[in-house]
Amino acid sequence: MRTVLVNCRMVDGTGAAAISDAAVVVEDDRLAWCGPARDPGRPPAQAGDTVVDLGGLTVLPGLFNVHVHLGLRLPFPERRADPFTPGYRVMLNYRRALEAILAGTTSLRIVGEPYFTDIDVREAIGRGLLPGPRITCAGHALIATGGHGHNSVGCLEADGPDAFRRAAREQLRAGADLIKICLTGGIGTPRESATDKQMTDDEVRAVVEVAHSAGKRVASHTGGDRAVGDAVRLGVDCIEHGYSFGDATAARMAEAGTFLVPTLCVTQELDYMRRHGVQEWMLGKAKAAAAEHLASITRAAARGVTLCVGTDLLPSDPVDGTVATIREVELLTRVGLSPLEAIRAATASSARLCGTDRITGTLEAGKQADLIAVAGRPDERIADLREVRLVMKAGAVYRSRVDGVPDPGLDRLGAAMAGGTFARLW
Ligand SMILES: [Zn+2]
């Protein structure tokens, strides 16, 4: 079955300028062709084509959110305790994955969940058992005993290279796509600073060796110039948060090709935290880190480090009049990225980080038809990304406000979907 999207603009995700009059040909689950509507290479119309007039909307690749905890619960408990059973958590995580895609986030990278619930959700969606976004995931986050996230059931404590090796192998055995570690303290755990180093070099090296031997990447929750520099030197592939680091370290990240997921929402959206009852100690830490976080990420952007889009918050959480994923893309324009570069961070760059760039992340013939259409010109005014009118993954429509494209009504299931149901839905 072929659907031809016409009368639209197209931003392909590579950073290239928008095509002002584009056509996008979707055949079954794939993009059969896309480009300028008058391109001589455009395939001729066929009997049975469904032609959809998008009325000037801009088509982009589906967005990524590459730092997600679908079991997120705020305020964070100060000690480890889980009110949920593993089965309930799977359902909660699935529900939130579905909300994410309805809000335009077609790919997720999950970086710390208990009981391998992330892997269960990935499998159920990947096998076509249930509709949902593409997922790559880490299983548990690996931490030192008493380290960052010890108050969360999604973190697994280990000590010494052997124990970290074993913990990493356990995640791989369960089917993890990457390994997540917490090299330093952070904001969501009491009695630690975001720049405290909590893992030794030997422990980091052990995890990197195990992951790389299996062809997987290592993502490290890291704050502080010394720790970020150590992570890069030890072969970590991606820095998560990067709360503070200097220009020389930014240059080393760029040179090493280390990815950076800034999660600016964590330090820039304090109203969100207040609304969700976050304790004073956590608010104070986020506030204290905010300016330096922004400055550090600005240094990284200026040095050409590859930035990606991740939020820690649920992708569909309402933040500042939009949803978390889109708010984070907007925040990237505050650290020096152009709107086109911010869109590339949320699409092509994030796909590269996830290792799914051969099938998604840009609009190119042969890739999966993962796309959104928005009203306006987000490549010129990033806030136009808020106006999502169509969400498609692998050629299937998840949400439509476009004439001629029936809305499947997924957002009417269960509680009313208004771009996130975070606080109310347990
Ligand atoms: Zn996180």
Side-chain angles (χ1 to χ4, degrees):
M1 200 191 85
R2 285 207 331 183
T3 302
V4 185
L5 308 176
V6 297
N7 190 17
C8 56
R9 302 172 73 252
M10 180 177 110
V11 173
D12 69 5
T14 66
I19 294 171
S20 56
D21 181 15
V24 177
V25 182
V26 177
E27 187 161 6
D28 301 322
D29 58 339
R30 293 184 320 126
L31 292 168
W33 190 86
C34 49
R38 288 180 227 301
D39 189 302
R42 178 178 165 185
Q46 284 176 11
D49 280 356
T50 304
V51 178
V52 176
D53 183 335
L54 287 181
L57 299 183
T58 300
V59 180
L60 314 92
L63 303 177
F64 279 64
N65 191 325
V66 298
H67 189 121
V68 175
H69 307 277
L70 289 178
L72 182 72
R73 208 161 59 91
L74 285 176
F76 288 135
E78 296 189 19
R79 287 176 206 292
R80 180 181 292 235
D82 193 354
F84 305 130
T85 61
Y88 190 84
R89 272 198 179 271
V90 171
M91 290 188 275
L92 182 64
N93 288 11
Y94 172 71
R95 163 72 190 218
R96 287 159 161 196
L98 185 61
E99 289 178 355
I101 193 168
L102 295 176
T105 309
T106 57
S107 289
L108 303 178
R109 173 173 168 268
I110 306 174
V111 288
E113 297 287 347
Y115 323 127
F116 302 116
T117 49
D118 50 346
I119 291 169
D120 289 337
V121 173
R122 181 195 71 193
E123 289 303 293
I125 294 170
R127 292 169 196 226
L129 192 65
L130 291 165
R134 286 179 206 288
I135 290 176
T136 51
C137 55
H140 302 83
L142 311 184
I143 67 170
T145 294
H148 180 68
H150 69 82
N151 50 330
S152 157
V153 287
C155 295
L156 190 62
E157 294 175 308
D159 295 287
D162 280 347
F164 269 99
R165 237 176 244 123
R166 182 181 176 90
R169 287 174 178 149
E170 284 170 355
Q171 308 315 302
L172 296 175
R173 180 177 63 194
D177 301 300
L178 73 148
I179 301 294
K180 163 83 180 294
I181 58 175
C182 294
L183 175 47
T184 66
I187 287 173
T189 299
R191 298 176 295 279
E192 62 173 28
S193 143
T195 57
D196 292 350
K197 225 183 131 181
Q198 297 174 336
M199 288 175 64
T200 66
D201 284 4
D202 281 351
E203 289 169 336
V204 175
R205 215 177 269 121
V207 171
V208 168
E209 188 185 1
V210 167
H212 287 184
S213 298
K216 310 291 186 194
R217 288 191 164 128
V218 176
S220 179
H221 164 114
T222 318
D225 188 62
R226 187 179 142 224
V228 173
D230 288 349
V232 173
R233 175 172 56 81
L234 294 167
V236 161
D237 304 284
C238 182
I239 302 295
E240 312 286 318
H241 313 301
Y243 293 123
S244 109
F245 55 86
D247 184 53
T249 301
R252 279 204 296 280
M253 288 174 75
E255 198 191 338
T258 313
F259 291 90
L260 175 60
V261 183
T263 67
L264 291 168
C265 278
V266 172
T267 59
Q268 309 300 312
E269 298 296 339
L270 299 181
D271 281 351
Y272 168 91
M273 290 204 189
R274 278 190 203 98
R275 258 194 348 266
H276 293 295
V278 160
Q279 305 90 326
E280 275 307 316
W281 59 262
M282 186 169 156
L283 264 176
K285 276 183 170 187
K287 204 191 256 175
E292 179 55 24
H293 191 200
L294 215 52
S296 300
I297 305 308
T298 303
R299 287 191 273 276
R303 286 286 182 180
V305 174
T306 302
L307 303 187
C308 301
V309 167
T311 57
D312 250 334
L313 317 182
L314 297 172
S316 63
D317 269 352
V319 184
D320 228 334
T322 180
V323 294
T325 301
I326 289 169
R327 183 64 190 143
E328 183 73 19
V329 185
E330 292 178 352
L331 288 172
L332 288 182
T333 64
R334 283 213 201 146
V335 297
L337 298 198
S338 69
L340 263 178
E341 289 167 337
I343 291 167
R344 181 177 58 191
T347 57
S349 300
S350 288
R352 265 203 306 127
L353 171 62
C354 293
T356 55
D357 51 314
R358 276 187 301 117
I359 57 165
T360 187
T362 58
L363 300 180
E364 288 176 74
K367 285 198 176 180
Q368 291 282 292
D370 296 354
L371 58 85
I372 60 172
V374 306
R377 300 181 169 208
D379 47 305
E380 293 171 6
R381 207 183 81 98
I382 198 66
D384 285 352
L385 214 47
R386 297 177 172 212
E387 308 300 326
V388 178
R389 300 286 185 271
L390 180 70
V391 181
M392 184 185 277
K393 181 202 140 200
V397 174
Y398 277 72
R399 188 157 181 268
S400 171
R401 298 292 180 269
V402 171
D403 286 343
V405 181
D407 181 66
L410 286 167
D411 57 353
R412 289 192 288 274
L413 291 174
M417 248 291 300
T421 52
F422 173 54
R424 298 169 298 284
L425 191 76
W426 292 127

